[in-house]
Amino acid sequence: MNIAKNGNLKLAIQKKGRLTEKSIELLKLCGIDVDHYSERLVVPAENFPLEVLFLRDDDIPEYVQDGVADIGIVGENVVVSKNAKTTVVEKLGFGKCTLMMAAPDYVHLKTIQDIDGKVIATTYPRIVQDFLDKNNLKAKLIELSGSVEIAPALGVADIICDIVSTGNTLMMNKLKKSFPIFDSQAVLISSASNELKKEKAKILQDLQSRIRSVLLARRSKYLMMNVPIGSLEKVKKAIPSLSSPTVVPLADQHYVAVHAVIPSNYLWKIADSLKELGATGILLLPIENLIP
Ligand code: PRT
Ligand code: ZN
C-alpha cells in the first residue's frame, strides 16, 4: 500500500460495512469531507490534514497498534477481541450492539450456571472466554467467522454467543436471547505504544474537539418558548440548562422569550410544569454542532 508520507493524520475506517456510512457522516459533521465512493484505499480529506485508509474492520486495531494508521474507528468488540495495544480515545455513540448468549428453545439456559459444560459457537472467543473465567464457568468454544446463528441447528454447538442489535436474526433462527456479556459501540482508537509526532498530535487534538462538539450536540436540544415575566425565575429553575438560558424581551411586555440548550428527552420531564407556569409556543430544535 502506498501511503503518502506527508504530515497528515492517518485515520483507518471500515471499507464496506455497518460502520462505514456513520464514520463518514461523523467526519462530515466535523466539517471534514471525504469522497468514499472511489475504489481507492487511501483518500485524502478535502479540507482537513487527514488521510482516510479504508480497511477491513478486523485489521484496524493491528494497523493502529503498528502505526500504519495513526487512529481508527472500529467496534469496541473488535478492539477487545483483537487484543492489540491500542487505547480508546473516544466513544462515538453509533454502531451500538450487544454480544449476547442465545439458545434454541430446547436448551435450558435460565441462569448463568446453565452455561457450564455447554458448547458455544462464537466469533469472539476472547471476550467469551474472559466472561467464562470471570464467572468461574467452563465451556467448549467453537470459533466461527460468520453465520454463527445456524450452529445449533447444524448440531455444531449447544448455544451461541453473537452480536445482537435488533434481535431479528436470533428470532429468524428460533434462538432466544439470554445473557448479555458485552456492550459495544464504535470507538476512536490510537496506538498505545507509538507516540504521535507533535504536528500530528495537534491535528488529533483538533479532530477530537470537533468530535466532542458533535457528540455533545447529539445529546442536546435547543428549547425555545415564551414565558410570562412573573414566572421567569421559576422557569429558569425548571430548566436543566447546559448553559444559562438566554432571555429576550418581546413586543408584549408581559412575556419574554427563553432559549436554552437542554439534554435530549428532558423536555418530557418538565413539559407539564412549563405549561403550568404559563409557557407558550414551546419549540424543541435539533442542534447540529455545539462548541462548549
Ligand atoms: O468486512 P468487514 O470485516 O470489515 O466487516 P464485518 O462483516 O466483520 O462487520 P460488520 O460490517 O457486519 O459490522 C461492523 C461492526 O458493527 C461490528 O464489529 C459491530 O461493532 C457493529 N455492529 C452493530 C454489528 C451489528 N450492529 C450487528 N447487528 N455487527 C454485526 N451485526 C450482525 C450480527 O453478527 C448478527 O449476524 O447482525 C446480526 C444481528 O443483527 P440483528 O439486528 O438481527 O440483531
Ligand atoms: Zn470484520
Side-chain angles (χ1 to χ4, degrees):
M1 206 185 293
N2 181 19
I3 302 170
K5 286 210 179 339
N6 53 28
N8 289 354
L9 190 71
K10 286 172 285 176
L11 163 70
I13 67 171
Q14 193 184 19
K15 180 168 170 50
K16 199 170 176 217
R18 289 170 200 266
L19 304 183
T20 310
E21 289 293 331
K22 289 271 169 75
S23 304
I24 297 284
E25 184 192 303
L26 176 65
L27 290 174
K28 200 170 179 51
L29 287 168
C30 290
I32 302 168
D33 296 318
V34 178
D35 164 25
H36 68 297
Y37 296 106
S38 69
E39 278 304 300
R40 284 183 299 163
L41 293 182
V42 184
V43 178
E46 285 165 27
N47 41 10
F48 196 77
L50 186 79
E51 314 262 321
V52 180
L53 280 61
F54 290 91
L55 301 169
R56 285 274 318 267
D57 69 345
D58 313 72
D59 297 331
I60 292 176
E62 202 176 321
Y63 275 146
V64 170
Q65 166 192 281
D66 297 344
V68 177
D70 300 309
I71 49 172
I73 295 179
V74 67
E76 234 173 338
N77 51 311
V78 176
V79 176
V80 175
S81 73
K82 296 292 168 190
N83 200 27
K85 291 193 176 60
T86 57
T87 308
V88 172
V89 189
E90 212 77 61
K91 298 200 175 204
L92 301 174
F94 62 86
K96 285 190 175 169
C97 55
T98 302
L99 192 58
M100 178 96 80
M101 297 281 182
D105 265 346
Y106 52 84
V107 173
H108 184 82
L109 199 59
K110 288 280 177 287
T111 69
I112 286 185
Q113 266 59 44
D114 294 332
I115 295 170
D116 214 34
K118 296 276 188 299
V119 180
I120 310 172
T122 186
T123 313
Y124 300 97
R126 181 180 291 277
I127 303 178
V128 178
Q129 190 60 55
D130 193 39
F131 170 83
L132 295 174
D133 293 346
K134 276 190 189 132
N135 289 283
N136 233 343
L137 300 167
K138 292 218 171 350
K140 183 175 172 196
L141 301 187
I142 306 280
E143 183 172 355
L144 299 176
S145 57
S147 304
V148 174
E149 54 285 339
I150 59 168
L154 295 178
V156 176
D158 301 316
I159 63 175
I160 69 164
C161 190
D162 198 16
I163 285 190
V164 178
S165 143
T166 59
N168 289 341
T169 309
L170 290 185
M171 220 166 63
M172 280 182 333
N173 287 283
K174 299 200 166 65
L175 297 168
K176 279 208 295 216
K177 289 184 198 176
S178 60
F179 309 105
I181 72 162
F182 185 84
D183 286 322
S184 179
Q185 61 179 291
V187 288
L188 184 70
I189 54 169
S190 69
S191 172
S193 47
N194 281 333
E195 206 171 306
L196 291 181
K197 294 221 172 80
K198 213 167 144 196
E199 283 291 297
K200 282 194 177 184
K202 253 172 82 182
I203 304 170
L204 176 57
Q205 223 177 19
D206 185 358
L207 178 64
Q208 264 182 275
S209 64
R210 291 185 190 203
I211 290 176
R212 284 190 192 140
S213 304
V214 171
L215 299 182
L216 185 61
R218 275 195 189 151
R219 293 196 301 268
S220 315
K221 288 266 158 58
Y222 196 73
L223 172 67
M224 296 165 72
M225 63 194 157
N226 295 340
V227 170
I229 202 133
S231 312
L232 181 59
E233 286 314 308
K234 281 189 181 155
V235 166
K236 275 187 182 174
K237 278 196 187 119
I239 303 172
S241 190
L242 292 176
S243 54
S244 43
T246 307
V247 179
V248 187
L250 292 172
D252 179 344
Q253 290 178 358
H254 298 104
Y255 278 84
V256 284
V258 175
H259 297 190
V261 175
I262 62 168
S264 299
N265 300 329
Y266 203 90
L267 180 63
W268 312 118
K269 293 188 186 162
I270 53 168
D272 286 343
S273 8
L274 291 178
K275 277 194 233 155
E276 273 167 29
L277 291 168
T280 59
I282 301 173
L283 203 61
L284 199 60
L285 303 171
I287 301 171
E288 187 159 295
N289 225 315
L290 186 63
I291 296 162

